Amino acid sequence: MEEMTNTFSGNLLVAQSGGPTPVINASLAGVISAALQFEDDIGEIYGAVNGVEGILNENFIDLAAESQQTVRLLNTTPGAALGSCRYKLRKEEDFARILEVFKAHNIRYFHYIGGNDSQDSSKKIADYCAAQGYEIRVIGVPKTIDNDLPVTDHCPGYGSTIKYIATTVRELTFDSASLGRHNLVTIVEVMGRGAGWIAAGSVLAKRKGVETDAPHIVLLPEVAFNAEAFAERVREVLSAQTHCVVVAAEGLKDAEGNYLGVGGAGVDAFGHPTLGGVCEYLKNVVEGAFDGVKTRCCRLGHVQRTASHCGSLTDINEAFEAGAAAVKAAVAGESGKMIVIVRDERDYYSVRMELSELDGIANCEKVVPASWIGEDGMSVGTQFSKYALPLILGEPKLVYENGLPKYAELARHFIEKKCEPYNL
Amino acid sequence: MEEMTNTFSGNLLVAQSGGPTPVINASLAGVISAALQFEDDIGEIYGAVNGVEGILNENFIDLAAESQQTVRLLNTTPGAALGSCRYKLRKEEDFARILEVFKAHNIRYFHYIGGNDSQDSSKKIADYCAAQGYEIRVIGVPKTIDNDLPVTDHCPGYGSTIKYIATTVRELTFDSASLGRHNLVTIVEVMGRGAGWIAAGSVLAKRKGVETDAPHIVLLPEVAFNAEAFAERVREVLSAQTHCVVVAAEGLKDAEGNYLGVGGAGVDAFGHPTLGGVCEYLKNVVEGAFDGVKTRCCRLGHVQRTASHCGSLTDINEAFEAGAAAVKAAVAGESGKMIVIVRDERDYYSVRMELSELDGIANCEKVVPASWIGEDGMSVGTQFSKYALPLILGEPKLVYENGLPKYAELARHFIEKKCEPYNL
């Protein structure tokens, strides 16, 4: 029986990073729930508060001490329950500090729930620890509403976001179609810098077989914006029906690659431009091209990544499974990899959690395939709908209190610090 | 037994007008359901397509022919199922035409579901018919997300809208509080021209007893905007916590009564200014007053009046009851009045439907009482919460199909026209 003796064990640390999604906490719940099942391998289950900043500052909380009620409620809670961060690990000292803290708390499992940038950090931490001879198992858990990570079929967070967007577009359509006003153009600006997955997801608002249903025009960053072709398409729609609904990604660019409608916009901590203003840009195009047209703008902003009240049960379950799968893989001896969702080739929707090297994932961006985009460059076809529809199916049972969804808050039992303070 | 013989009977016409609410169709369902119960008094149940335009154009559909499934689904369907309109009855000919059409179809009951302007039209139609000796019973059904009608305790549509707004603000708060970023200001612009009921409703997002909860600042049109006091309040909030959530009504005005942030805005068919841009205005104030502050804007736009997926069951039930009560009152012989909701003075929430003269309602605007607004002019107190909380309680059972709410569409069996065409 000696072969069965586990020689590797230690404490687990989980953290969250980047922009939260409606299901980033479902992945946290998955990590906690799975970790509790491996008591021979995993001792304490810690959470770092505010991502890598929480590691550098040694701000750890005891997740096993949280109530079961709270952990269950994490499945439908928006925001990042552990706190997020956008700190970029840059200097050698940061990595040495992380190793110091890991050693002090005997952290042997590390799971970072985040997007491209977070997986990049995961990889660097794994590499550094390996180079320093510290054995640790690092398995990343993907999250991003943008759905732009390569390798994985789709990302946890995406399904819930497009369920909310499609619901909203359908509701706006019932409103605008009912007004009895002609030449009404509704423009909905959604997130999506380099990839138009979210904008594309709005087509799920169309009812099966109802060709006239909104959205009538979908503008993706993958296609250079052409004002004349856009105005012409609006004209076509308005000649056939009273109203036109346009869904536009915030990251629209012209033929020269310049972002549309960037006013006083800056860049974020990673050098990505922070956008906004596409709605007003398109409004001006429409009003410049037509007389007597009425346009209205909706800029959902960050609401689209927080709308847990409209989450997809499929997405929640997969986010949970991705977290659990990361722990299982680490216990099985894997490291330096990320969980990816692989879709089985079957008649019905079925996925499994697999592992991918972090190398191929960090800092790459997956865009909507050109063959899925309509020839007019302003629509997506049935291949997309076939891909996206299963991701929005099912509704979670929400807990309501005083008329509003009740969301989880961690009790946050802090762990005693063992290292000297660190200057970030 | 001769006294029991009903000497008044005829057909019923119902129409919808103005901006739709999440529950304007629940009132329609209430009208239809109640009308079916009075077969001695009411013959046909017709709907006018697109409000008074549908009457002038004699576009009537047979509502009794709709399926029971469809009528039930109306309770949770956004938009105006009959079609809305903003046509203003101006000329004598319009009224003569309406009477001609009413006579041709033996319309003896008329119910207009709408806000101030619609009730004004109702009253004029009732007066005209009376002056011409045509007996008809006109009972209006109120609707407006703005909650600005006098006499009635509150308006159907308001509860669902603030349930959605409060849910959204709570979700945005979980997001922004979790980012670990300091000096983050989130500005949510909501509807409300002259009255701040919707902005005020966002305070329901605060959890009981959690003083630090968002929204931290609520800006109402009832209070003249003061940029310095606003910036100072933002500073106070940001000195105590990492983020500040501001909810602002689109109708904010400065001390001189000028709307803030009116760019290229125009006026609507009734001469009301169409607003927008308060969000960006406030963003500039905040960024001008602080260094290193990050602001983000959400302009929900028309989403806030269409979000039936987040409706209040209390609101839906009351909207239905208001429609049913209008029919019952008309059958009982009432006319020239509107249904109002009266709140009983009890320890628990309880309301009854009563009648009010249309005179006192049309073209008046009820604002948030000054005594309910905090001394700082940027908050609302417990009196408001006590008033508003019961209105958002309960969640309807939604029908989902392919991952999205299924909404009702009327089959629209059109009635044969009996009059000559009319030039609008």
PDB file of all heavy atoms in Angstrom, chain B residues 10-30:
ATOM      1  N   GLY B  10     -72.952  47.689 -24.654  1.00  0.00           N
ATOM      2  CA  GLY B  10     -72.265  48.007 -25.896  1.00  0.00           C
ATOM      3  C   GLY B  10     -70.885  47.383 -25.897  1.00  0.00           C
ATOM      4  O   GLY B  10     -70.583  46.525 -25.051  1.00  0.00           O
ATOM      5  N   ASN B  11     -70.060  47.817 -26.830  1.00  0.00           N
ATOM      6  CA  ASN B  11     -68.737  47.232 -26.961  1.00  0.00           C
ATOM      7  C   ASN B  11     -67.694  48.035 -26.189  1.00  0.00           C
ATOM      8  O   ASN B  11     -67.872  49.214 -25.914  1.00  0.00           O
ATOM      9  CB  ASN B  11     -68.367  47.140 -28.439  1.00  0.00           C
ATOM     10  CG  ASN B  11     -69.334  46.240 -29.189  1.00  0.00           C
ATOM     11  OD1 ASN B  11     -69.832  45.247 -28.626  1.00  0.00           O
ATOM     12  ND2 ASN B  11     -69.661  46.596 -30.437  1.00  0.00           N
ATOM     13  N   LEU B  12     -66.612  47.356 -25.872  1.00  0.00           N
ATOM     14  CA  LEU B  12     -65.534  47.983 -25.099  1.00  0.00           C
ATOM     15  C   LEU B  12     -64.318  48.203 -25.996  1.00  0.00           C
ATOM     16  O   LEU B  12     -63.981  47.353 -26.817  1.00  0.00           O
ATOM     17  CB  LEU B  12     -65.171  47.092 -23.912  1.00  0.00           C
ATOM     18  CG  LEU B  12     -64.037  47.552 -22.986  1.00  0.00           C
ATOM     19  CD1 LEU B  12     -64.317  47.103 -21.545  1.00  0.00           C
ATOM     20  CD2 LEU B  12     -62.673  47.031 -23.433  1.00  0.00           C
ATOM     21  N   LEU B  13     -63.672  49.343 -25.802  1.00  0.00           N
ATOM     22  CA  LEU B  13     -62.434  49.631 -26.532  1.00  0.00           C
ATOM     23  C   LEU B  13     -61.350  49.978 -25.525  1.00  0.00           C
ATOM     24  O   LEU B  13     -61.556  50.782 -24.618  1.00  0.00           O
ATOM     25  CB  LEU B  13     -62.638  50.800 -27.496  1.00  0.00           C
ATOM     26  CG  LEU B  13     -61.421  51.142 -28.367  1.00  0.00           C
ATOM     27  CD1 LEU B  13     -61.129  50.039 -29.380  1.00  0.00           C
ATOM     28  CD2 LEU B  13     -61.626  52.475 -29.090  1.00  0.00           C
ATOM     29  N   VAL B  14     -60.192  49.366 -25.696  1.00  0.00           N
ATOM     30  CA  VAL B  14     -59.049  49.677 -24.831  1.00  0.00           C
ATOM     31  C   VAL B  14     -57.881  50.069 -25.722  1.00  0.00           C
ATOM     32  O   VAL B  14     -57.739  49.575 -26.850  1.00  0.00           O
ATOM     33  CB  VAL B  14     -58.704  48.476 -23.907  1.00  0.00           C
ATOM     34  CG1 VAL B  14     -58.432  47.200 -24.700  1.00  0.00           C
ATOM     35  CG2 VAL B  14     -57.539  48.800 -22.978  1.00  0.00           C
ATOM     36  N   ALA B  15     -57.058  51.000 -25.228  1.00  0.00           N
ATOM     37  CA  ALA B  15     -55.897  51.450 -25.994  1.00  0.00           C
ATOM     38  C   ALA B  15     -54.764  51.787 -25.030  1.00  0.00           C
ATOM     39  O   ALA B  15     -54.980  51.925 -23.825  1.00  0.00           O
ATOM     40  CB  ALA B  15     -56.266  52.663 -26.840  1.00  0.00           C
ATOM     41  N   GLN B  16     -53.571  51.871 -25.575  1.00  0.00           N
ATOM     42  CA  GLN B  16     -52.381  52.191 -24.770  1.00  0.00           C
ATOM     43  C   GLN B  16     -51.671  53.391 -25.383  1.00  0.00           C
ATOM     44  O   GLN B  16     -51.713  53.578 -26.598  1.00  0.00           O
ATOM     45  CB  GLN B  16     -51.430  50.989 -24.738  1.00  0.00           C
ATOM     46  CG  GLN B  16     -52.015  49.769 -24.027  1.00  0.00           C
ATOM     47  CD  GLN B  16     -51.112  48.546 -24.139  1.00  0.00           C
ATOM     48  OE1 GLN B  16     -50.639  48.234 -25.221  1.00  0.00           O
ATOM     49  NE2 GLN B  16     -50.911  47.852 -23.032  1.00  0.00           N
ATOM     50  N   SER B  17     -51.021  54.174 -24.535  1.00  0.00           N
ATOM     51  CA  SER B  17     -50.372  55.378 -25.046  1.00  0.00           C
ATOM     52  C   SER B  17     -49.151  55.751 -24.226  1.00  0.00           C
ATOM     53  O   SER B  17     -48.977  55.284 -23.099  1.00  0.00           O
ATOM     54  CB  SER B  17     -51.378  56.529 -25.031  1.00  0.00           C
ATOM     55  OG  SER B  17     -50.820  57.693 -25.583  1.00  0.00           O
ATOM     56  N   GLY B  18     -48.322  56.586 -24.798  1.00  0.00           N
ATOM     57  CA  GLY B  18     -47.131  57.082 -24.100  1.00  0.00           C
ATOM     58  C   GLY B  18     -46.028  56.045 -24.043  1.00  0.00           C
ATOM     59  O   GLY B  18     -46.080  55.011 -24.710  1.00  0.00           O
ATOM     60  N   GLY B  19     -45.000  56.323 -23.256  1.00  0.00           N
ATOM     61  CA  GLY B  19     -43.900  55.375 -23.106  1.00  0.00           C
ATOM     62  C   GLY B  19     -44.366  54.136 -22.372  1.00  0.00           C
ATOM     63  O   GLY B  19     -44.979  54.237 -21.321  1.00  0.00           O
ATOM     64  N   PRO B  20     -44.091  52.954 -22.928  1.00  0.00           N
ATOM     65  CA  PRO B  20     -44.491  51.722 -22.248  1.00  0.00           C
ATOM     66  C   PRO B  20     -43.790  51.562 -20.895  1.00  0.00           C
ATOM     67  O   PRO B  20     -42.755  52.182 -20.643  1.00  0.00           O
ATOM     68  CB  PRO B  20     -44.040  50.626 -23.217  1.00  0.00           C
ATOM     69  CG  PRO B  20     -43.930  51.297 -24.547  1.00  0.00           C
ATOM     70  CD  PRO B  20     -43.482  52.695 -24.249  1.00  0.00           C
ATOM     71  N   THR B  21     -44.378  50.761 -20.042  1.00  0.00           N
ATOM     72  CA  THR B  21     -43.750  50.389 -18.772  1.00  0.00           C
ATOM     73  C   THR B  21     -43.649  48.867 -18.768  1.00  0.00           C
ATOM     74  O   THR B  21     -44.251  48.203 -19.622  1.00  0.00           O
ATOM     75  CB  THR B  21     -44.606  50.811 -17.563  1.00  0.00           C
ATOM     76  OG1 THR B  21     -45.709  49.893 -17.433  1.00  0.00           O
ATOM     77  CG2 THR B  21     -45.158  52.225 -17.722  1.00  0.00           C
ATOM     78  N   PRO B  22     -42.919  48.296 -17.810  1.00  0.00           N
ATOM     79  CA  PRO B  22     -42.844  46.829 -17.753  1.00  0.00           C
ATOM     80  C   PRO B  22     -44.205  46.181 -17.485  1.00  0.00           C
ATOM     81  O   PRO B  22     -44.361  44.977 -17.693  1.00  0.00           O
ATOM     82  CB  PRO B  22     -41.886  46.565 -16.582  1.00  0.00           C
ATOM     83  CG  PRO B  22     -41.085  47.818 -16.454  1.00  0.00           C
ATOM     84  CD  PRO B  22     -42.012  48.929 -16.833  1.00  0.00           C
ATOM     85  N   VAL B  23     -45.207  46.951 -17.010  1.00  0.00           N
ATOM     86  CA  VAL B  23     -46.487  46.338 -16.635  1.00  0.00           C
ATOM     87  C   VAL B  23     -47.687  46.948 -17.363  1.00  0.00           C
ATOM     88  O   VAL B  23     -48.828  46.668 -17.002  1.00  0.00           O
ATOM     89  CB  VAL B  23     -46.721  46.413 -15.098  1.00  0.00           C
ATOM     90  CG1 VAL B  23     -45.590  45.702 -14.357  1.00  0.00           C
ATOM     91  CG2 VAL B  23     -46.858  47.854 -14.617  1.00  0.00           C
ATOM     92  N   ILE B  24     -47.457  47.732 -18.392  1.00  0.00           N
ATOM     93  CA  ILE B  24     -48.587  48.338 -19.110  1.00  0.00           C
ATOM     94  C   ILE B  24     -49.476  47.254 -19.730  1.00  0.00           C
ATOM     95  O   ILE B  24     -50.698  47.425 -19.864  1.00  0.00           O
ATOM     96  CB  ILE B  24     -48.094  49.347 -20.178  1.00  0.00           C
ATOM     97  CG1 ILE B  24     -49.267  50.154 -20.760  1.00  0.00           C
ATOM     98  CG2 ILE B  24     -47.290  48.670 -21.263  1.00  0.00           C
ATOM     99  CD1 ILE B  24     -48.843  51.304 -21.673  1.00  0.00           C
ATOM    100  N   ASN B  25     -48.870  46.097 -20.034  1.00  0.00           N
ATOM    101  CA  ASN B  25     -49.662  45.005 -20.607  1.00  0.00           C
ATOM    102  C   ASN B  25     -50.395  44.187 -19.541  1.00  0.00           C
ATOM    103  O   ASN B  25     -51.360  43.482 -19.863  1.00  0.00           O
ATOM    104  CB  ASN B  25     -48.771  44.089 -21.448  1.00  0.00           C
ATOM    105  CG  ASN B  25     -48.211  44.830 -22.648  1.00  0.00           C
ATOM    106  OD1 ASN B  25     -48.911  45.622 -23.266  1.00  0.00           O
ATOM    107  ND2 ASN B  25     -46.939  44.607 -22.948  1.00  0.00           N
ATOM    108  N   ALA B  26     -49.937  44.278 -18.292  1.00  0.00           N
ATOM    109  CA  ALA B  26     -50.679  43.627 -17.207  1.00  0.00           C
ATOM    110  C   ALA B  26     -52.012  44.361 -17.025  1.00  0.00           C
ATOM    111  O   ALA B  26     -53.041  43.729 -16.766  1.00  0.00           O
ATOM    112  CB  ALA B  26     -49.862  43.646 -15.915  1.00  0.00           C
ATOM    113  N   SER B  27     -52.015  45.676 -17.186  1.00  0.00           N
ATOM    114  CA  SER B  27     -53.274  46.426 -17.117  1.00  0.00           C
ATOM    115  C   SER B  27     -54.199  46.043 -18.267  1.00  0.00           C
ATOM    116  O   SER B  27     -55.419  45.935 -18.095  1.00  0.00           O
ATOM    117  CB  SER B  27     -53.008  47.930 -17.152  1.00  0.00           C
ATOM    118  OG  SER B  27     -52.387  48.343 -15.949  1.00  0.00           O
ATOM    119  N   LEU B  28     -53.600  45.823 -19.439  1.00  0.00           N
ATOM    120  CA  LEU B  28     -54.404  45.369 -20.576  1.00  0.00           C
ATOM    121  C   LEU B  28     -55.034  44.009 -20.268  1.00  0.00           C
ATOM    122  O   LEU B  28     -56.233  43.791 -20.522  1.00  0.00           O
ATOM    123  CB  LEU B  28     -53.507  45.282 -21.823  1.00  0.00           C
ATOM    124  CG  LEU B  28     -54.142  44.717 -23.083  1.00  0.00           C
ATOM    125  CD1 LEU B  28     -55.327  45.571 -23.532  1.00  0.00           C
ATOM    126  CD2 LEU B  28     -53.098  44.608 -24.207  1.00  0.00           C
ATOM    127  N   ALA B  29     -54.239  43.107 -19.701  1.00  0.00           N
ATOM    128  CA  ALA B  29     -54.763  41.790 -19.323  1.00  0.00           C
ATOM    129  C   ALA B  29     -55.896  41.934 -18.311  1.00  0.00           C
ATOM    130  O   ALA B  29     -56.897  41.210 -18.372  1.00  0.00           O
ATOM    131  CB  ALA B  29     -53.637  40.915 -18.751  1.00  0.00           C
ATOM    132  N   GLY B  30     -55.757  42.897 -17.388  1.00  0.00           N
ATOM    133  CA  GLY B  30     -56.804  43.127 -16.397  1.00  0.00           C
ATOM    134  C   GLY B  30     -58.097  43.610 -17.035  1.00  0.00           C
ATOM    135  O   GLY B  30     -59.197  43.174 -16.664  1.00  0.00           O
TER     136      GLY B  30
END
